[in-house]
Each structure stands twice: as structure tokens, then as C-alpha cells.
Amino acid sequence: MMILSSCKKEVKYYPSKSFFVEYNPIEIIIDDLSFQEITDSIRNGLYRKEKYFIELEDTDFKYKIAPFADTGGYIRERNGLTIRNDSLDLLKGNFPIDNLSKYLKLHYENNDKEYFYASSYKRAFIMLIFEPTDNSRKLKNRMLHTIQVYNQTNIKNKDSIDFHIMLDYYLDKVYPQAIPRLTPLKKEN
């Protein structure tokens, strides 16, 4: 006697299921792409009014994630909770990624109370920043971890939140410039 069983994984949609219904995004396979190629593909699609999604899986769920990228429009910096590599880069300082749940809760429940967090859960998003040459595996791991922590975090009005993820990289590293040494002026008699 042989028993076959197939377990179909529940699908979770980000930013929301209604986004997928409204825009019908196209899946992109990112396995062999660099972070810059992934981000630029999403950005170029937005210019053409096309939406894309990335599919990830863990042991329990299948995730369909439609990230966005900066296209040069106005984005209020405080509405983004920035994750750069393995740390949280907030307006008030850098914090370990281990504190993600705490800061997700503060970010999405802020409602314009503190300047360092999103002005509203409707405008809030997560920004993932990597080096342009980083591989897709690094992005997949960080996205999966971020979504899992978000799902486990107790946030008020979570069922009303569209969980947006933005991808970005820096074109050039910015280093503070050395202050030129001033030479004292000689007094003429």
C-alpha cells in the first residue's frame, strides 16, 4: 500500500494580495543576477509601468514579493526603515539586525509621534541596501528574514498594512573630505 501526500504551501503576498490582483506583476528569476541587475530591472520596469515580483520559499510558506526601486521621485526618508547589510541604519543611529522586530513595531506604529520613524503605517516601507555586486542569494536571505520577522512581530493594525520593500544601492561611496589645514596669515608691518 502506497500513500501519496502533497502539501500545498500557503502563498503570502507582499505588499498585499490586492496589489497582485490589481497590477498582475510578472515574475523575475533572479538566481544568476547581481543586486544591481535586480534593482535596475525593477526600476526599468517601473519606468515602463510594469511591475515584477520575486518568489521565495521557506519550509511553511511561499512568498510572492513585489519590491520597488527608487525612480528619482520624492521619497520621504523617515518613512523607510533602512537595512544595510546586517544592520539597521536609522536616522538616529545604527543598530544590530537582531533588533529588527522592535524597530519594525516602532516604525509601523509611530503615526507621526517621533520624527525618526514613519509618519504613517500607510507610507512606511522597508529599504534593503546592498553593494551593487552582491549576489541574489544575499538578497533572498535578507528578504526572507525580514518578512519572517515582520510576520512574527505583533504590530497594531497589521491587517491594514501593505508591507512594501524597496531595493537600492549606492552609486558611489561617500567619504567625508579632509578639512583643509589653514595657514595663519602673516601680518605686514
Side-chain angles (χ1 to χ4, degrees), residues 133-147:
T133 56
D134 284 344
N135 62 34
S136 63
R137 188 174 358 98
K138 191 171 184 179
L139 171 62
K140 288 178 180 182
N141 290 338
R142 178 58 60 218
M143 284 178 100
L144 197 54
H145 175 257
T146 303
I147 287 171

Side-chain angles (χ1 to χ4, degrees), residues 13-25 160-162:
Y13 298 89
Y14 300 94
S16 66
K17 187 168 185 174
S18 61
F19 175 91
F20 277 77
V21 170
E22 182 178 347
Y23 295 104
N24 194 25
S160 302
I161 295 174
D162 286 350

Side-chain angles (χ1 to χ4, degrees), residues 16-178:
S16 66
K17 187 168 185 174
S18 61
F19 175 91
F20 277 77
V21 170
E22 182 178 347
Y23 295 104
N24 194 25
I26 303 162
E27 182 177 8
I28 57 171
I29 308 301
I30 63 171
D31 295 337
D32 297 325
L33 301 177
S34 70
F35 184 70
Q36 181 176 358
E37 291 169 327
I38 296 164
T39 304
D40 289 350
S41 296
I42 291 167
R43 182 178 291 123
N44 290 333
L46 291 171
Y47 287 131
R48 294 187 307 270
K49 298 191 182 330
E50 295 172 352
K51 310 277 191 267
Y52 299 114
F53 76 92
I54 298 166
E55 189 170 280
L56 301 177
E57 283 188 52
D58 64 13
T59 55
D60 301 322
F61 300 102
K62 190 179 282 192
Y63 303 97
K64 293 189 177 191
I65 307 151
F68 69 101
D70 186 0
T71 56
Y74 176 71
I75 294 177
R76 200 165 179 193
E77 189 176 345
R78 74 182 268 201
N79 289 329
L81 182 85
T82 302
I83 300 173
R84 185 188 337 256
N85 291 321
D86 291 330
S87 67
L88 301 170
D89 188 3
L90 308 177
L91 290 175
K92 65 185 208 174
N94 292 330
F95 301 92
I97 195 73
D98 298 340
N99 296 338
L100 180 58
S101 182
K102 171 186 172 183
Y103 288 105
L104 281 170
K105 185 169 179 64
L106 288 169
H107 190 65
Y108 282 95
E109 291 181 357
N110 186 49
N111 290 323
D112 219 13
K113 289 180 249 169
E114 277 193 59
Y115 180 74
F116 300 113
Y117 304 107
S119 57
S120 158
Y121 67 86
K122 292 179 182 179
R123 292 185 178 94
F125 62 92
I126 303 302
M127 183 185 313
L128 299 178
I129 297 177
F130 291 102
E131 293 294 322
T133 56
D134 284 344
N135 62 34
S136 63
R137 188 174 358 98
K138 191 171 184 179
L139 171 62
K140 288 178 180 182
N141 290 338
R142 178 58 60 218
M143 284 178 100
L144 197 54
H145 175 257
T146 303
I147 287 171
Q148 289 168 336
V149 171
Y150 171 77
N151 288 337
Q152 294 167 1
T153 302
N154 184 18
I155 299 171
K156 291 179 191 170
N157 303 316
K158 192 188 244 179
D159 56 339
S160 302
I161 295 174
D162 286 350
F163 191 68
H164 294 279
I165 296 176
M166 178 178 170
L167 306 180
D168 202 8
Y169 57 87
Y170 296 121
L171 295 175
D172 292 316
K173 292 189 182 203
V174 179
Y175 299 101
Q177 291 190 359

